[in-house]
Each structure stands twice: as C-alpha cells, then as structure tokens.
C-alpha cells in the first residue's frame, strides 16, 4: 500500500498526509486571527445557526468538559454567547456574537482561499474528480459538518 503503480504514494499515506496538510493550513490561519484551531472550528460550526451543547460536542467530537472549556474561553473573548434553549429550560445553546460573526466571516474566507490553493497543480477536471471522491469518503463515513462549502457559509447568514 505504500505506492501505487504510477510511482505515487498509496491511499493511506495520501489521506493521512493530506489531513496533516489541511490541518496545518487551518491552524496557521486560526493563529493569524488570534484563534486556536478548536476556536476556529467552533466558530465555523456556528456560522449557520446556534447549537445545543450536546449537539455541539457530538459535532466537534469533544467530551463535555473539553467543550465547556472551549466555549468558556471563546465566550470570554466575546465571540460566542450562551442563550437559553427555548425547548428545554435546563439547557443552553451557543451562538455567535456580532463580533464572532464578523471574525468568522474573515477567518472562513481566508481559510477557504488557502485550502483552495492546495490542489493548484490540478486541472479543473482533476479538481472536480478529487472533490467527488473525497466527498464520497466523507459522506460514506458520516463526518459531521464542521466546515461548510464556501457557498453554504456565505448563504447561511449569521445571527448577531
């Protein structure tokens, strides 16, 4: 599995190394916006709507204590707020503040630009094939939506 017949790397190494590549770009972008990588993910998830804490934990793959700390730190920075859940008085929802929405708009746009440059050596058909194949892997494995398509993020609107 190390190499394919064309002299390239195999599927396992390609997926793992591409994950590291995207992760590094995402982390660098977050740092430039004064965010941790996890805060950037939190803000991107919240772009479309508010989330309950348990739903947010499941989406981000975080234990309750880790999520609470992440939300606490991000709330102290004025980027998110907790609000009562209208369906459950014992629960809270997490939503972007106006400041958080403005920051995530810039962070998201810049991060998308940087990630879009990664396959710059591919032609349009190769890029479409790559997107189709990776999309199938993501959907087949039911990966939560932690980063929307650029069209979805822009169209979602941001609560203040």
């Amino acid at each position: 599995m190390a190499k394919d017949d064309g002299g390239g790397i195999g599927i396992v190494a390609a997926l793992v190394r591409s994950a590291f590549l995207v992760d590094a770009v995402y982390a660098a972008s977050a740092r430039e916006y004064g965010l941790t990588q996890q805060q950037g993910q939190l803000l991107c998830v919240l772009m479309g709507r508010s989330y309950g804490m348990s739903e947010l934990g499941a989406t981000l793959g975080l234990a309750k204590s880790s999520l609470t700390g992440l939300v606490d730190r991000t709330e102290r920075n004025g980027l998110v707020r907790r609000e009562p859940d209208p369906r459950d008085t014992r629960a809270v929802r997490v939503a972007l503040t106006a400041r958080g929405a403005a920051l995530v708009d810039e962070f998201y746009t810049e991060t998308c630009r940087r990630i879009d440059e990664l396959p710059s050596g591919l032609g349009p058909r190769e890029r479409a094939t790559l997107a189709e194949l990776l999309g199938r892997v993501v959907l087949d494995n039911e990966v939560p939506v932690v980063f929307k398509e650029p069209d979805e993020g822009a169209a979602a609107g941001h609560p203040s």
Side-chain angles (χ1 to χ4, degrees):
M1 277 197 162
K3 292 189 175 215
D4 67 15
D5 292 338
I9 62 175
I11 188 72
V12 172
L15 285 172
V16 170
R17 290 171 69 180
S18 64
F20 272 91
L21 176 62
V22 170
D23 194 52
V25 169
Y26 196 89
S29 186
R31 275 192 306 278
E32 289 176 25
Y33 283 87
L35 302 168
T36 65
Q37 194 170 349
Q38 292 76 20
Q39 287 173 325
Q41 289 173 341
L42 173 64
L43 296 180
C44 286
V45 166
L46 294 172
M47 285 178 77
R49 64 178 179 89
S50 66
Y51 278 76
M53 290 291 281
S54 60
E55 184 182 18
L56 200 50
T59 300
L60 293 171
L62 294 174
K64 185 178 179 181
S65 61
S66 297
L67 178 63
T68 299
L70 173 61
V71 172
D72 287 347
R73 289 185 301 278
T74 311
E75 187 175 37
R76 277 194 301 272
N77 291 338
L79 303 175
V80 299
R81 67 175 182 279
R82 288 179 169 95
E83 51 191 32
D85 188 325
R87 294 177 302 235
D88 182 353
T89 57
R90 299 166 295 161
V92 296
R93 297 189 69 75
V94 180
L96 293 172
T97 63
R99 182 172 166 225
L103 180 67
V104 76
D105 277 342
E106 291 179 31
F107 167 71
Y108 176 83
T109 300
E110 179 59 17
T111 303
C112 285
R113 184 193 67 74
R114 291 176 184 188
I115 292 172
D116 190 55
E117 289 178 357
L118 294 176
S120 62
L122 301 179
R125 285 202 327 225
E126 290 172 310
R127 289 173 65 95
T129 300
L130 178 63
E132 178 187 344
L133 295 173
L134 288 174
R136 282 179 33 203
V137 170
V138 166
L139 294 174
D140 289 351
N141 288 279
E142 300 176 7
V143 177
V145 179
V146 293
F147 203 84
K148 297 182 181 304
E149 279 295 319
D151 299 6
E152 292 175 296
H158 306 285
S160 56

